[in-house]
Amino acid sequence: MLPFLRHLGDGKEHSLRDTEEALAEHFNLTPAERAELLPSGQQGIFKNRIGWARTYLKKAALIEAPKRAVFKITERGLQTLASNPKRIDARFLEQWPEFIEFRDISRASILQEQPVDLPITTTTPEETIENAYQGLREQLAQELLAKILSCSPTFFEQLVVELLVKMGYGGSRRDAGERIGQTGDGGIDGIIKEDRLGLDTIFIQAKRWQGSVGRPEIQKFVGALQGQRARKGVFITTSYYTTDAIDYVTRIDTKVVLIDGKQLSGLMIDFDIGVSVASSFVVKRIDSDYFEES
């Protein structure tokens, strides 16, 4: 917030784009850092933090917005800069009643029974929500893998095919399911269509393992694919792959995709396999176009 306010210290109007560029230069951000997204992938972290810095400064009446996406420092903002503060954070802004009112309203709307401090330096409200969501998702992923390990191999194979069907492969669930375990090849657990027309097929290996899956197991699977004159395969495990196994699939002509336990549980959550919605929260923001008067 302090670099934001200093950028406006000349008393002139500055656009949001101009401010973003100035702050990126101040923090020596690389293009990759500027492009980094929140966990949801819906908004950039840098833009999100600028947005909240702008909101906090505006609520404390240190800056104003004479028009859309344009900002200007106020007399209070100039006086604040003249006092040469070492930093500006939420606690610093609590010296003004306008910000305290904003803070109290925010606290009440977030959680009525427990006091909640607004983020001071490291995270914005969106980041806090999304980090909490990622924590819940990781916990759910671990629970999913534990459930899978307690099921039978046949159930796991059916689960894998159902997931691939949900992802758009295999046509109907019935069509795909009929092929499970019918190849007669020890290195293949199932076959599924690549698309609804069946223009190509994908061979599946599904293993409920707890230890690492090494190169020999992948070579065995590739050999089974070659025996079927197959060009594509998916090897799915509840554990993880060794570096040697991952390197091997990058150097063969046959296209083999390796999915480990972490990726598997993530896909199951994304495509609602074995999970259901417990609660849903929608985060909304102002639609500035709505308030544009013609």
Side-chain angles (χ1 to χ4, degrees):
M1 284 184 274
L2 182 54
F4 192 118
L5 193 62
R6 282 175 174 164
H7 176 64
L8 304 185
D10 59 5
K12 299 178 181 178
E13 293 184 356
H14 291 270
S15 68
L16 177 59
R17 183 184 184 90
D18 174 47
T19 304
E20 288 179 355
E21 294 300 324
L23 290 176
E25 183 177 350
H26 171 82
F27 290 111
N28 296 316
L29 298 183
T30 65
E33 288 171 331
R34 293 187 62 175
E36 188 175 351
L37 299 175
L38 293 169
S40 66
Q42 299 298 312
Q43 187 181 20
I45 292 176
F46 180 55
K47 287 181 177 292
N48 179 259
R49 291 184 179 181
I50 287 179
W52 278 100
R54 174 192 65 201
T55 297
Y56 284 9
L57 293 173
K58 188 176 178 182
K59 293 299 181 180
L62 299 184
I63 67 172
E64 59 185 359
K67 50 189 174 182
R68 183 182 175 186
V70 173
F71 310 100
K72 183 179 180 180
I73 195 169
T74 63
E75 185 60 33
R76 178 184 289 178
L78 290 171
Q79 292 173 358
T80 299
L81 285 182
S83 69
N84 196 28
K86 293 183 178 180
R87 64 179 292 128
I88 296 179
D89 55 28
R91 289 198 179 99
F92 179 89
L93 299 178
E94 288 176 355
Q95 62 185 288
W96 292 292
E98 298 95 332
F99 185 79
I100 292 176
E101 182 182 1
F102 163 70
R103 179 205 61 188
D104 291 344
I105 291 174
S106 298
R107 282 177 172 173
S109 63
I110 294 172
L111 189 60
Q112 295 182 355
E113 297 181 358
Q114 294 182 344
V116 175
D117 289 331
L118 292 171
I120 297 174
T121 56
T122 59
T123 60
T124 66
E126 280 91 346
E127 288 177 285
T128 301
I129 291 172
E130 294 198 18
N131 288 335
Y133 166 77
Q134 289 300 319
L136 291 172
R137 181 184 172 97
E138 290 173 8
Q139 179 181 353
L140 176 59
Q142 293 174 2
E143 293 174 358
L144 275 174
L145 289 178
K147 280 287 187 182
I148 292 173
L149 290 172
S150 68
C151 298
S152 68
T154 300
F155 180 87
F156 179 51
E157 292 170 4
Q158 293 172 344
L159 180 156
V160 165
V161 171
E162 185 170 353
L163 173 61
L164 292 174
V165 170
K166 267 290 190 71
M167 293 173 65
Y169 299 98
S172 70
R173 173 66 180 82
R174 179 180 179 183
D175 185 29
E178 290 174 349
R179 296 176 181 271
I180 284 294
Q182 296 182 7
T183 64
D185 192 309
I188 297 175
D189 292 325
I191 304 173
I192 196 168
K193 294 177 181 177
E194 185 176 23
D195 52 53
R196 292 183 178 274
L197 298 178
L199 296 176
D200 204 348
T201 54
I202 298 174
F203 288 71
I204 306 166
Q205 177 79 293
K207 293 296 183 185
R208 296 181 312 127
W209 283 18
Q210 292 183 316
S212 62
V213 178
R215 175 171 173 166
E217 287 298 321
I218 306 303
Q219 286 179 314
K220 180 181 177 182
F221 179 52
V222 172
L225 293 178
Q226 293 173 346
Q228 297 288 333
R229 295 183 178 179
R231 298 177 299 170
K232 300 175 182 178
V234 178
F235 197 113
I236 301 178
T237 181
T238 52
S239 60
Y240 60 95
Y241 299 97
T242 64
T243 302
D244 197 27
I246 296 173
D247 178 67
Y248 171 69
V249 299
T250 64
R251 295 185 288 103
I252 58 177
D253 294 331
T254 306
K255 180 63 175 178
V256 176
V257 174
L258 304 180
I259 298 178
D260 60 19
K262 183 177 181 180
Q263 292 172 299
L264 171 63
S265 57
L267 289 170
M268 290 177 65
I269 294 171
D270 290 339
F271 290 92
D272 294 324
I273 300 295
V275 298
S276 58
V277 176
S279 58
S280 179
F281 303 91
V282 178
V283 178
K284 298 184 179 181
R285 60 171 57 93
I286 290 291
D287 180 0
S288 300
D289 292 336
Y290 176 81
F291 295 94
E292 287 290 326
E293 296 186 32
S294 56

